[in-house]
């Protein structure tokens, strides 16, 4: 297609949301009208099913749950007046709490104000808060947030070290929908010990965000934590940014959560329109289907050209891959669905992997995210008449063009600036696009059965560790790995046992390894 024809295609397919000033450009996805027509029946079904979902249908059949993240930004949509009231009241509770913390009406025992937050959570209980903080928190927020989003001891130490002089004024948010995920539980226990080490009463600093009745909720109630906010079973972890999970940390950092909700609501309204061309989420889902043949054959590379949006690709990685990465479709057929997502930011990535995108394996499509406003205020000139922002803008256009010239497709999403409304809108746009795509390929986008396998396997390793240590405690002479495995009743688990023991050895846990470390089979093991 020549430049003039492309310009026409750009105008024919351009989506513009006037209220949000947001554009979606799918002109560089090379589908034709026949392809769009072929998907129309699937889209008609998706629009209908989405309307049912919003009315409270059990859209997550495996977990027998409603899927209600859309109600969070428009509580009147909730299927019962009780739910509407609960959403409204919770929002008011969040705002009142944040205000009291910021003004010092709620303050720690030994300081006038809370200055910092440690947010402990993982997956959907971390990625949204991290993305939103990076995108929207001011340079000098009322409370500065720090994240523990793993069970990595060194990572936990890093945060605790950075805050060692400020622990007495640091609020701790423990965020876990299930209230039973091991990583945040471990983080919570370690942080609690650190507070005890500083003679601080953890309960007076701790806030739980969890499902009522969860283990975490029980701990918070029994220990009398500062506050507890409810998480609902009809909100999935990866779509929870606009529930208490995302709103509590955002409000505490002074982020305008009402504007975030408004932006999302406006986008939800726009993505409810049952017309592919007039619906920006449908345009994304259509493009994804086209790119990967409805089978995820092409990866989604997400390149926001704005540093503050750098975590958007990580956020989308969970949203898209945990939602769409499924072994079975809704009829029980083995389908191995999904779309791989990766990315960081432009133009930084141009000096990392864009070389492969332009010239290498054509196994992806790109999503470029453009922010029209360079910065608040004027920019200095770098060259006569040219600013750094002009370079960034030029690099975006250049990458889009260079990709297209080499038959690499791209979508471009443009927002006027990064603010609470546009960030809310972006989140809502992708929530809906993932929902539509899941429907097009007939999978349940709202459960995550595969994650359980890894959790069970990890739990089995910890069980095995206990057995192995018990075996060694009962022995006086060093044993071979095979002997330990026999005595632990797990002869087939020698490799796992070796790795457990090597880990214990390096971490001064009393395990002595004798022999050649390069030949694990020759090792003799004892306790010191
Ligand atoms: O909030 P929770 O229950 O601790 O779960 C954290 C994350 O773990 C998962 O359940 C599985 O990875 C995600 O879906 C979820 O976001």
């Amino acid at each position: 297609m020549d430049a003039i024809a492309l310009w026409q295609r750009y105008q024919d397919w351009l989506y513009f949301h006037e209220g949000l000033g947001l554009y979606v450009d799918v002109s560089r996805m090379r589908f034709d009208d026949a392809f769009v027509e072929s998907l129309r029946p699937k889209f008609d079904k998706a629009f209908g099913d989405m309307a049912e979902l919003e009315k409270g249908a059990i859209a997550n059949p495996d977990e027998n749950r409603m899927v209600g993240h859309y109600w969070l930004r428009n509580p009147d949509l909730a299927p019962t007046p009780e739910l509407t009231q609960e959403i409204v009241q919770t929002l008011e509770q969040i705002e009142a709490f944040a205000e009291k913390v910021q003004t010092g009406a709620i303050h720690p025992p030994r300081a006038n104000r809370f200055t910092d937050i440690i947010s402990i959570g993982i997956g959907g209980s971390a990625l949204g808060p991290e993305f939103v903080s990076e995108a929207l928190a001011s340079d000098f927020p009322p409370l500065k947030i720090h994240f523990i989003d793993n069970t990595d001891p060194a990572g936990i130490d890093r945060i605790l070290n950075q805050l060692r002089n400020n622990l007495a004024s640091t609020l701790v948010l423990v965020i876990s929908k299930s209230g039973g995920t091991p990583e945040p539980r471990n983080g919570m226990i370690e942080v609690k010990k650190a507070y005890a080490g500083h003679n601080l009463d953890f309960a007076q600093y701790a806030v739980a965000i969890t499902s009522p009745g969860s283990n975490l909720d029980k701990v918070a109630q029994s220990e009398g934590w500062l506050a507890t906010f409810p998480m609902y079973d009809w909100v999935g972890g990866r779509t929870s940014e606009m529930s208490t999970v995302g709103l509590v940390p955002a409000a505490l950092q002074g982020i305008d959560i009402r504007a975030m909700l408004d932006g999302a609501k406006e986008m939800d309204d726009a993505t409810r329109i049952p017309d592919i061309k007039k619906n920006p989420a449908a345009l994304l889902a259509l493009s994804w289907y086209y790119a990967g043949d409805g089978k995820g054959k092409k990866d989604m590379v997400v390149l926001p050209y704005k540093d503050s949006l750098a975590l958007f690709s990580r956020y989308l990685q969970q949203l898209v891959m945990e939602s769409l990465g499924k072994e079975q479709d809704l009829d029980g057929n083995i389908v191995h669905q999904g779309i791989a997502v990766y990315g960081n930011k432009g133009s930084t990535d141009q000096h990392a992997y864009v070389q492969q995108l332009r010239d290498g394996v054509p196994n992806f499509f790109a999503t470029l995210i453009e922010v029209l406003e360079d910065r608040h205020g004027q920019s200095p000139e770098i060259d006569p008449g040219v600013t750094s922002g002009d370079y960034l803008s030029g690099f975006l256009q250049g990458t889009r063009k260079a990709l297209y010239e080499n038959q690499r497709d791209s979508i471009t999403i443009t927002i006027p600036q990064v603010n609470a409304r546009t960030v809310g809108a972006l989140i809502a746009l992708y929530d809906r696009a993932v929902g539509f795509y899941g429907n097009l390929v007939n999978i349940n986008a709202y459960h995550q059965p595969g994650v359980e396998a890894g959790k069970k396997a990890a739990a089995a390793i910890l069980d095995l560790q206990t057995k192995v240590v018990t075996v060694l405690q009962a022995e006086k002479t060093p044993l071979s790995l095979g002997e330990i495995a026999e005595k632990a009743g797990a002869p087939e688990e020698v490799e796992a046992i070796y790795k457990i023991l090597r880990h214990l050895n390096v971490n001064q846990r009393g395990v002595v390894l004798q022999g050649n470390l390069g030949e694990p089979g020759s090792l003799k093991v004892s306790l010191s």
Side-chain angles (χ1 to χ4, degrees):
M1 216 178 256
D2 66 22
I4 298 300
L6 271 177
W7 169 229
Q8 192 54 51
R9 181 172 169 81
Y10 175 79
Q11 295 174 81
D12 289 347
W13 278 97
L14 185 66
Y15 172 85
F16 177 58
H17 189 295
E18 203 174 341
L20 292 161
L22 176 145
Y23 302 78
V24 175
D25 158 28
V26 294
S27 66
R28 267 41 172 197
M29 303 297 297
R30 287 163 297 155
F31 53 74
D32 58 17
D33 290 347
F35 171 77
V36 180
E37 282 314 309
S38 72
L39 276 196
R40 216 170 275 288
K42 280 185 191 286
F43 266 105
D44 287 342
K45 177 174 182 305
F47 291 138
D49 287 350
M50 189 57 82
E52 291 305 310
L53 175 150
E54 285 202 314
K55 282 187 211 145
I58 300 295
N60 178 357
D62 306 68
E63 295 175 350
N64 194 31
R65 282 181 180 161
M66 299 188 289
V67 173
H69 46 274
Y70 301 104
W71 312 331
L72 298 167
R73 34 263 195 165
N74 186 352
D76 291 335
L77 286 181
T80 67
E82 292 74 28
L83 277 184
T84 302
Q85 205 188 359
E86 198 179 344
I87 298 166
V88 172
Q89 279 175 353
T90 305
L91 188 55
E92 287 165 0
Q93 191 197 348
I94 293 169
E95 287 177 322
F97 179 75
E99 203 207 320
K100 283 187 189 152
V101 169
Q102 283 163 9
T103 57
I106 295 178
H107 62 87
R110 295 197 215 153
N112 296 332
R113 295 272 164 95
F114 281 108
T115 58
D116 293 82
I117 304 166
I118 297 178
S119 181
I120 306 174
I122 196 164
S125 295
L127 290 160
E130 287 170 328
F131 162 52
V132 164
S133 175
E134 187 80 9
L136 298 176
S138 72
D139 295 340
F140 303 100
L143 281 92
K144 188 166 166 38
I145 197 159
H146 313 259
F147 291 96
I148 293 180
D149 63 0
N150 198 356
T151 183
D152 172 16
I156 296 171
D157 284 352
R158 186 153 192 248
I159 299 297
L160 290 173
N161 269 334
Q162 286 168 357
L163 286 167
R164 67 181 182 278
N165 297 327
N166 280 8
L167 268 198
S169 62
T170 299
L171 187 72
V172 181
L173 303 180
V174 185
I175 310 180
S176 176
K177 175 183 169 182
S178 62
T181 308
E183 293 92 333
R185 176 181 166 273
N186 297 356
M188 187 258 285
I189 292 172
E190 288 221 11
V191 170
K192 200 183 210 177
K193 284 184 195 291
Y195 273 68
H198 284 75
N199 292 319
L200 301 171
D201 175 13
F202 182 70
Q204 302 197 48
Y205 299 79
V207 174
I209 299 172
T210 188
S211 303
S214 74
N215 283 344
L216 173 58
D217 188 38
K218 285 179 194 146
V219 171
Q221 300 300 337
S222 70
E223 294 181 0
W225 287 16
L226 194 56
T228 302
F229 292 91
M231 175 59 181
Y232 317 102
D233 80 334
W234 41 267
V235 178
R238 53 193 174 271
T239 52
S240 65
E241 177 48 33
M242 272 168 265
S243 72
T244 49
V245 166
L247 297 183
V248 173
L252 287 166
Q253 291 170 88
I255 292 167
D256 185 348
I257 58 173
R258 293 269 175 185
M260 221 164 84
L261 290 164
D262 284 348
K265 177 177 180 295
E266 276 185 79
M267 181 52 76
D268 288 342
D269 291 344
T271 59
R272 207 169 278 129
I273 293 170
D275 179 339
I276 300 174
K277 238 177 159 171
K278 294 188 180 142
N279 183 323
L283 287 173
L284 293 188
L286 173 88
S287 301
W288 301 352
Y289 197 103
Y290 167 74
D293 203 16
K295 299 187 174 70
K297 286 183 189 164
K298 293 210 170 159
D299 302 346
M300 184 190 307
V301 182
V302 181
L303 283 170
Y305 280 68
K306 189 56 69 185
D307 288 358
S308 64
L309 296 180
L311 296 185
F312 194 43
S313 35
R314 255 170 74 185
Y315 172 78
L316 289 183
Q317 202 166 49
Q318 185 204 19
L319 176 65
V320 174
M321 295 179 75
E322 201 167 73
S323 300
L324 303 180
K326 301 291 154 70
E327 183 176 34
Q328 294 183 16
D329 68 10
L330 284 165
D331 303 319
N333 302 309
I334 302 293
V335 288
H336 295 296
Q337 272 292 352
I339 301 178
V341 179
Y342 64 93
N344 176 32
K345 64 180 179 182
S347 71
T348 309
D349 292 355
Q350 200 148 330
H351 303 273
Y353 58 78
V354 171
Q355 161 64 28
Q356 175 169 320
L357 298 192
R358 172 63 167 68
D359 292 343
V361 204
N363 61 350
F364 72 94
F365 64 100
T367 303
L368 311 172
I369 302 189
E370 178 182 29
V371 181
L372 292 175
E373 184 188 78
D374 287 338
R375 56 155 56 98
H376 300 310
Q378 295 289 310
S379 286
E381 288 190 358
I382 300 301
D383 300 320
V386 176
T387 65
S388 305
D390 296 341
Y391 270 92
L392 191 65
S393 176
F395 283 132
L396 186 153
Q397 277 220 51
T399 299
R400 174 173 175 267
K401 189 161 190 285
L403 290 175
Y404 190 76
E405 281 170 1
N406 232 9
Q407 290 82 50
R408 272 73 169 160
D409 289 346
S410 66
I411 299 167
T412 304
I413 298 173
T414 303
I415 54 173
Q417 57 173 205
V418 178
N419 59 38
R421 268 180 78 230
T422 54
V423 166
L426 281 177
I427 290 171
L429 174 64
Y430 276 86
D431 280 346
R432 190 82 88 180
V434 165
F436 282 149
Y437 186 89
N439 198 288
L440 296 181
V441 301
N442 192 36
I443 51 115
N444 178 355
Y446 306 106
H447 68 164
Q448 54 285 326
V451 180
E452 289 309 311
K455 285 187 190 168
K456 280 187 191 141
I461 294 289
L462 289 168
D463 275 356
L464 189 57
Q465 175 169 318
T466 309
K467 285 185 192 145
V468 164
V469 171
T470 309
V471 167
L472 289 172
Q473 281 166 343
E475 287 296 326
K476 297 232 160 26
T477 50
L479 296 177
S480 71
L481 291 168
E483 288 167 332
I484 297 169
E486 279 298 335
K487 287 177 188 276
E492 70 291 0
E493 296 292 355
V494 188
E495 184 175 329
I497 290 172
Y498 159 65
K499 291 192 170 173
I500 288 168
L501 291 168
R502 184 178 62 177
H503 175 249
L504 294 177
N505 169 263
V506 169
N507 287 285
Q508 297 102 43
R509 306 278 291 284
V511 169
V512 180
L513 302 181
Q514 288 170 280
N516 182 348
L517 291 178
E519 286 175 18
S522 70
L523 292 173
K524 292 277 185 187
V525 188
S526 58
L527 289 185
S528 58

